[in-house]
Amino acid sequence: MPLFAILFFILSLGNCGVPLTLNFIGEFMSLYGYWKTAFLGVFASSSIVFSAAYTIYMFNRIAFAGSYSKFFKVNIPDLNKREFHILLTLVVFTVVLGIYPAPILDGLHYSVSSLIYYAPIL
């Protein structure tokens, strides 16, 4: 299943928070905000390491299926056109919004600003 493995690998890299993917922007912004307020950002940044390790482990288990898998004995077909287009759409949105996240961030600006400035301090 080469097409599935390639698209799944790109989406897995996005889950790890690799630069130029949408998840990198979210992780960077959340950690940047946390570093400014507390020293506990070291513990928060460890979640990135654990997430990347689990994602790589998951990709290896799914794409290569281990040496004792029953699927090596059965021929599994690759993606059909519909599945390929759905996964390609997800890959394109992940990369494009990772390069230029302004459409999402502009939509969130007003509500986040009102939460920051008008929310009661606990």
Side-chain angles (χ1 to χ4, degrees):
M1 297 178 63
L3 287 176
F4 174 75
I6 290 169
L7 294 175
F8 184 56
F9 179 69
I10 295 170
L11 291 172
S12 295
L13 288 177
N15 188 35
C16 290
V18 173
L20 299 179
T21 60
L22 187 58
N23 197 20
F24 175 76
I25 303 295
E27 287 180 356
F28 178 77
M29 289 175 54
S30 64
L31 286 177
Y32 181 73
Y34 200 70
W35 273 102
K36 293 184 94 158
T37 59
F39 179 69
L40 295 175
V42 174
F43 296 116
S45 62
S46 67
S47 68
I48 294 174
V49 175
F50 291 134
S51 171
Y54 176 72
T55 302
I56 292 169
Y57 175 74
M58 176 196 63
F59 175 76
N60 283 330
R61 295 288 297 213
I62 292 174
F64 301 115
S67 60
Y68 298 108
S69 176
K70 63 183 177 183
F71 296 114
F72 282 136
K73 299 173 186 164
V74 179
N75 190 9
I76 300 173
D78 204 4
L79 301 174
N80 59 25
K81 279 182 140 180
R82 183 186 63 174
E83 295 166 342
F84 176 74
H85 288 294
I86 290 171
L87 287 176
L88 186 65
T89 303
L90 293 175
V91 167
V92 167
F93 278 130
T94 300
V95 173
V96 168
L97 291 175
I99 293 171
Y100 185 70
I104 293 176
L105 296 179
D106 290 343
L108 294 174
H109 179 72
Y110 178 73
S111 60
V112 171
S113 296
S114 65
L115 280 175
I116 291 173
Y117 293 116
Y118 300 118
I121 298 174
L122 299 176

